[in-house]
Amino acid sequence: MKTIEKLVVLVAEKDDQAAFNELFRHFFPGLFPFVFAIVKDRQRAEEIIHDVFLKLWENRKMLAAIENISSYIFIASKNGCMNFMRKKKLVFTDVIEDELTYTMATPESKLVSAENIRLIQEAIGSLPPKCLLVFRLVKEEQLKYSEVARLLNISVKTVETQMMIANKRIATALFEALPEYTSSMPSKARTGYR
């Protein structure tokens, strides 16, 4: 069996699916009891672990930047559990909100929303690799700045700086793409991103 570091390099640099499967097989036996202890549901535990590994595969080019892959996977799994538990408590509220949204949404508003989401995704995708990794860990994995700093072996100040850069770049891209929204913002808010 190859070392975890070698597997990570093969996945990140060569898109090696066999190495990725080996990573999954290595971590699953330890992850499953951990996740199951939190969510108390076998199927949900498996889904959470699969979601974590799906995100790893989708973001595989950034894997080499992660100092401790084991810690990263366990933290991502813990956050997946916390998201599931939060959603589980909000199911009833979400159903009501979905029904209200459905009745209020028009085809035009759905098109605008889809276009805005595409613009946001493009802006995020255009971030420099390190900045993108920090942004995704904070926003998608919902890690605290201190957790990201520890995970990537960087300072909390560096995480803050990278998040500031990401937010400014995303906002600038959106302001340029959606000038109609810029005019309705207070000038003080606009000038911070130009």
Side-chain angles (χ1 to χ4, degrees):
M1 180 175 156
K2 299 173 183 156
T3 66
I4 298 303
E5 293 81 20
K6 286 181 183 177
L7 292 173
V8 168
V9 169
L10 287 171
V11 172
E13 296 176 5
K14 307 272 190 213
D15 298 335
D16 189 328
Q17 289 182 343
F20 184 75
N21 290 338
E22 201 168 326
L23 268 178
F24 179 83
R25 284 191 301 275
H26 173 80
F27 284 105
F28 187 85
L31 272 178
F32 183 79
F34 171 73
V35 173
F36 181 74
I38 298 170
V39 297
K40 311 275 191 264
D41 181 322
R42 292 185 73 77
Q43 183 178 353
R44 294 292 181 213
E46 288 178 5
E47 287 173 7
I48 289 167
I49 294 168
H50 284 283
D51 287 347
V52 166
F53 275 87
L54 177 63
K55 284 183 183 175
L56 276 179
W57 179 254
E58 289 171 349
N59 298 305
R60 62 191 171 277
K61 297 297 180 198
M62 293 181 267
L63 282 178
I66 298 172
E67 286 289 317
N68 185 338
I69 191 70
S70 177
S71 177
Y72 174 84
I73 290 171
F74 274 87
I75 290 170
S77 297
K78 178 194 77 167
N79 288 332
C81 292
M82 296 302 116
N83 290 340
F84 168 74
M85 300 304 280
R86 253 186 255 117
K87 287 178 187 172
K88 190 174 171 183
K89 290 178 184 175
L90 298 173
V91 168
F92 183 71
T93 308
D94 287 347
V95 169
I96 293 170
E97 287 175 5
D98 287 346
E99 288 174 5
L100 288 173
T101 302
Y102 178 75
T103 59
M104 296 170 66
T106 64
E108 294 82 14
S109 66
K110 287 181 183 177
L111 180 62
V112 170
S113 295
E115 178 65 16
N116 291 352
I117 290 169
R118 186 188 62 74
L119 290 169
I120 292 167
Q121 288 172 338
E122 284 178 8
I124 292 169
S126 71
L127 294 172
K130 184 176 183 180
C131 191
L132 178 62
L133 177 60
V134 169
F135 183 82
R136 285 191 167 155
L137 289 172
V138 170
K139 295 297 184 181
E140 292 177 11
E141 299 300 329
Q142 299 178 341
L143 297 180
K144 295 176 183 164
Y145 284 16
S146 59
E147 292 174 320
V148 173
R150 192 170 49 253
L151 191 61
L152 300 179
N153 199 23
I154 57 178
S155 71
V156 173
K157 187 70 176 163
T158 301
V159 174
E160 290 172 0
T161 302
Q162 291 297 317
M163 285 302 294
M164 185 178 69
I165 291 168
N167 288 329
K168 282 187 177 182
R169 286 188 176 202
I170 292 166
T172 300
L174 293 176
F175 288 152
E176 290 170 0
L178 304 167
E180 64 274 15
Y181 293 114
T182 307
S183 62
S184 65
M185 289 187 65
S187 62
K188 187 175 181 183
R190 286 195 309 266
T191 57
Y193 296 105
R194 293 261 179 208

